Structures are given as structure tokens and as C-alpha cells.
Amino acid sequence: MRIDILSLFPSMFFGTFSESIIKRAVQKGFLELHVHNIRDYSEDKHKRVDDYPFGGGAGMVMMIEPISKCIEKLKSERDYDSIIYMAPDGKRFDQLQANTLSLKKNIMILCGHYKGIDERIRELYITDEISIGDYVLSGGEIAAMVIVDSIARIIPGVLNDESSALTDSFQNGLLSPPVYTRPADFKGHKVPDILLSGHEQKISEWKFEQQLERTKKRRPDLLD
Ligand code: ADE
């Protein structure tokens, strides 16, 4: 799949996209990432991308022309399944939406800054508005990285152990069970006996019970 990101701060993405799972997804050819600098699409001689809000009020607003020009150019090159705007007033992101997005071919992610973008961009182009939580970030970039990471790791073939993404927290609506590795005894703190028993059926029952118990205790809202 291909993801185009529109941002005023493209270099924010460089580190994140060149490490770990995202890097692997790109190197293996499962994911194509393109970051576009919105400022490159400004026709203003000072390369302005923001202006004062009509009607007054605090903060600057990202102007319609540069964003529109960038979106139009990309749309003329290929069809997009989703054009996403990262915003604190968007729909709260979850695993289900990550799964859905991971099946798309081309998506665009627009990162806002300042007080937001001219509302007409939302009306004209945006198909999905996504928030990563009820708090305000200084821009959509970090939120966009969250989305890209959550998508990259579930594209089939990206993770070595293919079952790994399927047993994540949230994939079956429950939190993950606790995990342990060597040593089996750390200064008297022992790994649960059942995990050392070799009894597959019992181990998988234990894991499920742990998932239920954890979810009940930590995130009862998931069981509603
Ligand atoms: N931009 C600013 N805050 C955000 C949030 N919480 N989620 C997504 N994009 C944002």
C-alpha cells in the first residue's frame, strides 16, 4: 500500500520511518511512504501557508490554496481510498480502524498545525477525520506516525511471526496476557508453573483467562 503524508514539517518523520517495523515494511516492499512539504505548494512569494482567521480569534489558520494544490496534484496521479485529516475533533482511532486502513491501496494523511486548516479543505477533500485521543498535540505529525505504525505492523508479511500481530491487545477485543522469558526464576520471582508445563491446551486456556481478568480489571469498558 501507499501512504502520502502532507505536512509542514516533513523532517519530523525521517527518524520514525527509518527504524524498526516501518523500515522493514518499506524495505520489503509492502509499504510506500511519501512525505510532501505543503510549503512547496505555496504560490506566495514568501511561501506563506497560514493566515489570520476571518472573524478574529487567537492563532493562525492553514490556508486553503497550498493544501488544495498538493491534494489535487496527488489525486491527478492516482485514486485515493481515504483522505484523512488528523485532528483532535476527529473520530477516536482504534485497532478496528487500523485493520480497515491496512487493507487499502492508497491513502493520504493531512497534518494540520496552528489553529487548524481552513474548514473548506475538510468539506471538499477529507473523507476521514481521525483523533488519536482526547488531548491536543501541536500538530498532526506525531498522530500521523501513530497511524502509520499501527498500519505497517499488521500488513500481512511485515512481521516475521505472522501470528504475532493477531495476538496483540485489542485484536480480539481483549488486552494481551502477561508474557515471560528466561530466567524462570529471578531472585525468587517465578514464572507461572503452567507456562513451563508444556501442556498446550492448558496454556492457551490460562492465557485466555489472563486476558479476561486483565481486561476486567484495567479496561472494563472493552467488555461492555
Ligand atoms: N492534532 C492535534 N491533536 C491531535 C490529536 N489528538 N489527534 C490527531 N491529530 C491531532
Side-chain angles (χ1 to χ4, degrees):
M1 83 178 284
R2 173 182 169 122
I3 304 180
D4 288 275
I5 296 171
L6 283 61
S7 162
L8 286 176
F9 301 97
S11 61
M12 285 181 74
F13 294 91
F14 297 165
T16 305
F17 288 176
S18 54
E19 296 289 346
S20 189
I21 302 295
I22 299 182
K23 176 185 177 185
R24 194 192 302 167
V26 171
Q27 281 181 341
K28 282 188 169 178
F30 291 112
L31 182 60
E32 223 184 287
L33 294 170
H34 300 267
V35 185
H36 308 270
N37 191 341
I38 295 167
R39 202 173 293 279
D40 292 343
Y41 294 83
S42 170
E43 302 202 321
D44 188 272
K45 70 170 185 270
H46 303 293
K47 293 275 170 206
R48 276 192 76 163
V49 288
D50 61 320
D51 210 336
Y52 294 98
F54 279 126
M60 303 295 272
V61 176
M62 284 170 69
M63 298 162 79
I64 192 166
E65 287 105 331
I67 297 173
S68 161
K69 227 176 124 194
C70 185
I71 294 178
E72 291 285 356
K73 177 176 177 281
L74 290 169
K75 279 179 57 159
S76 73
E77 292 165 352
R78 68 194 63 74
D79 289 331
Y80 284 88
D81 304 299
S82 302
I83 303 183
I84 298 164
Y85 174 51
M86 302 310 306
D89 59 358
K91 179 172 175 270
R92 182 95 66 89
F93 192 60
D94 60 16
Q95 188 62 50
L96 190 65
Q97 204 177 2
N99 295 351
T100 306
L101 288 174
S102 74
L103 302 172
K104 309 255 181 195
K105 195 154 172 273
N106 299 312
I107 66 176
M108 218 188 283
I109 305 179
L110 171 62
C111 304
H113 253 270
Y114 314 119
K115 268 288 162 199
I117 59 172
D118 190 304
E119 187 67 16
R120 290 166 292 183
I121 286 286
R122 297 173 85 150
E123 292 161 6
L124 288 170
Y125 299 110
I126 300 301
T127 61
D128 303 87
E129 302 183 319
I130 299 180
S131 162
I132 62 161
D134 290 343
Y135 40 82
V136 180
L137 302 167
S138 51
E141 282 77 10
I142 293 172
M145 290 180 222
V146 169
I147 307 293
V148 171
D149 186 276
S150 71
I151 292 173
R153 60 192 304 287
I154 52 177
I155 298 174
V158 169
L159 292 187
N160 284 336
D161 175 3
E162 288 234 13
S163 71
S164 172
L166 298 175
T167 58
D168 284 342
S169 279
F170 305 113
Q171 278 298 12
N172 64 353
L174 298 173
L175 301 182
S176 292
V179 291
Y180 302 87
T181 186
R182 289 183 295 175
D185 184 338
F186 174 72
K187 299 177 181 174
H189 298 273
K190 297 203 173 104
V191 168
D193 286 337
I194 180 79
L195 294 177
L196 310 174
S197 70
H199 196 305
E200 262 183 54
Q201 171 75 27
K202 286 224 167 92
I203 291 174
S204 109
E205 281 165 17
W206 179 86
K207 285 186 177 172
F208 184 64
E209 280 161 21
Q210 291 291 315
Q211 284 197 279
L212 271 178
E213 205 174 294
R214 263 199 178 189
T215 310
K216 248 186 237 165
K217 208 155 144 195
R218 299 179 184 197
R219 290 294 305 277
D221 57 298
L222 293 176
L223 298 169
D224 290 345

